[in-house]
């Protein structure tokens, strides 16, 4: 089976691409703001640091659990493939 038809690799690619889309979306919204717009946006936000940090940790752990689960269900070779893909992306 080719890598493009591997369902486990598709799931892992989805896990990797979703945060990228979130970051790019935030960047597209925040980048064009001037000082006044940034000030208004910052005052509009309802900051609750403990809740936000717990949400970030929970979502991160869900991503890690999903990666381990996919690796377990589809074999350990997919984990090695994932590590190689991530290293290739980060390494440029």
């Amino acid at each position: 089976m080719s890598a493009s038809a591997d369902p486990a690799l598709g799931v892992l690619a989805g896990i990797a691409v979703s945060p990228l889309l979130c970051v790019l979306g935030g960047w597209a919204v925040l980048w064009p703001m001037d000082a006044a717009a940034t000030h208004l946006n910052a005052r509009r936000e309802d900051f609750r640091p403990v809740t936000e940090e717990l949400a970030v940790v929970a979502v991160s752990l869900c991503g890690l659990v999903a990666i381990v689960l996919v690796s377990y269900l589809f074999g350990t070779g997919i984990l090695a493939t994932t590590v190689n893909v991530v290293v290739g992306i980060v390494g440029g």
Side-chain angles (χ1 to χ4, degrees):
M1 181 179 334
S2 71
S4 63
D6 190 2
L9 197 54
V11 170
L12 292 174
I15 291 170
V17 169
S18 58
L20 175 66
L21 294 176
C22 183
V23 168
L24 291 176
W27 195 12
V29 169
L30 297 174
W31 188 266
M33 287 186 180
D34 61 354
T38 303
H39 181 72
L40 288 174
N41 187 54
R43 293 177 78 55
R44 182 177 55 93
E45 293 289 333
D46 184 22
F47 290 107
R48 299 193 190 284
V50 173
T51 305
E52 290 177 6
E53 291 298 322
L54 288 175
V56 168
V57 168
V59 170
S60 299
L61 287 175
C62 286
L64 289 174
V65 167
I67 291 170
V68 170
L69 186 61
V70 167
S71 298
Y72 177 74
L73 292 176
F74 293 98
T76 57
I78 194 68
L79 185 59
T81 303
T82 304
V83 170
N84 287 336
V85 168
V86 170
V87 169
I89 290 171
V90 172

